[in-house]
Amino acid sequence: MSMFSNLRRAVRRGYRRAVDLSHPARSPLGSAVVNCVVYQGGVRQDGCADAGEALRRVRKTGDAFVWIGLHEPSQTELAGLAELFGLHPLAVEDAVHAHQRPKIERYDETLFAVLKTVRYVEHEELTATSEVVETGELMAFAGDDFVITIRHGGRGTLGPVREALEADPDHLAKGPVTVLHAIADHVVDEYVAVTDAVQNDIDAVETMVFSEHGGRGDAGRIYQLKRELLELRRAVAPLSRPLQQLSTQPIPVIPPEMRTYFRDVADHLTRATDQIGAYDALLDSILQAHLAQVTVAQNEDMRKITAWAAIVAVPTMVCGVYGMNFDNMPELHWTYGYPFVVGVMAVACFVIHRGFRRNGWL
């Protein structure tokens, strides 16, 4: 089992997506802005200096949109963009402060999405303190002619998403909603990948629990895995209803042809949610089986202790009787009294020991 787990981990490392470290445009609005790009007809345009200039170019042409990427902006840094693009104050407040619940909300003609990014933490062996799932936060504003993405934490880069979209100009030409779909699809695909990776840890724990020499310390690993699975569920489960709404309900920002794409993302999310629920139920069963094994082992220990106590009770009783120091006791001054009593105790202990062995107590 460990050989196949190591092989799967090596394959995942080999196919891990590259991290986009390039920041081709820096805006005067603040250091939090790491990308400001105008797309016209699905093609990336050069010469974008700041968000204000980009918005003027977009609204002048009428068939373009701007994508602005930020990393952990402050309230001041986001205030200029909020005024420029007409973002709702409540959504801006949520975007500045991380640790929001995953959701997709509509403010007039703007969609605001909060997504939890997840990453599987590689480890050689699962312990009671191992970190299995690492989470981050990704937020996005999508309007008629703009997309603003905000990333919290060191994970969740959108470099691969941008590259994939720019490689398909026809799809990107459909507007800012294509970016929102691509981001949601990327995040949900990571959910599926992480849930598949967690299965290796569950298989390892299951193997250890049901092995011939399953340790009694496996409960800590099971609880740790359940806690990490709960962290994954908190990121995945809240998105089910919002994605269903995007794929079924008429929303002005989303063209009808894009609903099919969001429905596909919702299907992938359902798969991840079902897997997490199945894993949680399986861990409950493994934990119950482990506790039952511990109880059985403790009962066996108690039976052995009881059996040895019964064996020792025979010579203890005999020695106690002859240790009462009375003058008139049977066979007290007999020459062969001592070896006779020792022999009787040895035979009695042997018979009792054999009886316990025959009944499986020893």
Side-chain angles (χ1 to χ4, degrees):
M1 178 63 67
S2 59
M3 180 181 68
F4 290 107
S5 300
N6 293 334
L7 180 60
R8 282 194 290 264
R9 287 169 182 159
V11 171
R12 286 200 303 273
R13 292 191 187 104
Y15 285 94
R16 186 171 295 158
R17 296 171 178 171
V19 176
D20 179 29
L21 299 177
S22 61
H23 297 156
R26 295 270 179 185
S27 170
L29 290 172
S31 60
V33 180
V34 297
N35 244 323
C36 178
V37 180
V38 172
Y39 293 93
Q40 184 174 3
V43 179
R44 179 175 183 152
Q45 305 297 306
D46 298 326
C48 176
D50 59 30
E53 178 185 348
L55 186 59
R56 286 192 295 269
R57 289 178 55 183
V58 165
R59 292 182 176 173
K60 182 178 179 180
T61 57
D63 61 343
F65 69 91
V66 58
W67 182 356
I68 300 175
L70 301 94
H71 180 257
E72 297 183 352
S74 64
Q75 185 76 38
T76 304
E77 291 171 330
L78 195 56
L81 288 176
E83 182 178 359
L84 185 63
F85 291 95
L87 305 180
H88 197 279
L90 293 178
V92 173
E93 182 181 357
D94 289 344
V96 173
H97 304 288
H99 309 294
Q100 300 294 324
R101 188 175 185 270
K103 59 184 178 180
I104 299 177
E105 297 178 336
R106 177 186 172 188
Y107 293 94
D108 297 329
E109 300 301 320
T110 302
L111 287 178
F112 174 61
V114 178
L115 306 173
K116 289 284 189 180
T117 59
V118 299
R119 185 182 73 90
Y120 179 78
V121 180
E122 299 286 349
H123 48 270
E124 295 297 329
E125 183 181 359
L126 181 68
T127 65
T129 58
S130 295
E131 184 181 16
V132 179
V133 178
E134 181 183 2
T135 61
E137 204 157 329
L138 184 62
M139 305 172 183
F141 292 91
D144 292 330
D145 51 12
F146 68 90
V147 175
I148 302 175
T149 55
I150 302 169
R151 183 164 54 91
H152 290 273
R155 302 292 175 181
T157 177
L158 295 178
V161 177
R162 187 184 294 272
E163 294 174 2
L165 286 172
E166 292 179 353
D168 189 3
D170 293 336
H171 184 62
L172 187 57
K174 296 178 181 178
V177 178
T178 60
V179 178
L180 181 60
H181 161 262
I183 293 173
D185 186 55
H186 171 75
V187 171
V188 172
D189 284 345
E190 291 297 325
Y191 293 163
V192 175
V194 170
T195 52
D196 290 339
V198 170
Q199 184 178 2
N200 296 331
D201 294 314
I202 296 177
D203 292 341
V205 168
E206 186 177 19
T207 301
M208 287 186 291
V209 168
F210 291 101
S211 63
E212 183 178 356
H213 304 288
R216 299 187 181 184
D218 292 334
R221 282 175 281 190
I222 300 174
Y223 276 117
Q224 176 66 12
L225 197 54
K226 281 183 66 64
R227 191 188 67 81
E228 294 294 310
L229 202 62
L230 177 61
E231 186 75 15
L232 182 59
R233 172 177 281 180
R234 289 173 179 171
V236 176
L239 281 180
S240 296
R241 186 173 181 180
L243 284 177
Q244 289 293 339
Q245 292 176 346
L246 293 181
S247 61
T248 57
Q249 297 182 3
I251 300 176
V253 183
I254 301 178
E257 63 272 14
M258 289 299 300
R259 296 177 193 168
T260 304
Y261 292 91
F262 282 105
R263 184 162 57 248
D264 179 69
V265 177
D267 290 340
H268 292 174
L269 184 70
T270 300
R271 173 194 167 188
T273 304
D274 292 343
Q275 280 185 308
I276 293 173
Y279 293 163
D280 188 60
L282 179 58
L283 283 176
D284 286 337
S285 300
I286 294 174
L287 180 60
Q288 293 299 322
H290 171 69
L291 295 178
Q293 287 180 331
V294 171
T295 302
V296 171
Q298 291 176 343
N299 290 337
E300 291 180 353
D301 292 342
M302 289 302 300
R303 287 196 302 178
K304 290 180 181 179
I305 294 173
T306 303
W308 283 112
I311 294 174
V312 174
V314 172
T316 301
M317 181 187 66
V318 174
C319 294
V321 169
Y322 278 91
M324 291 187 293
N325 297 322
F326 288 113
D327 290 334
N328 299 317
M329 293 184 65
E331 316 300 339
L332 186 63
H333 300 287
W334 186 31
T335 304
Y336 302 102
Y338 174 75
F340 175 76
V341 170
V342 171
V344 169
M345 290 190 298
V347 171
C349 291
F350 175 76
V351 172
I352 296 174
H353 182 273
R354 187 174 181 181
F356 281 132
R357 286 291 299 270
R358 184 182 297 111
N359 293 321
W361 284 49
L362 289 175

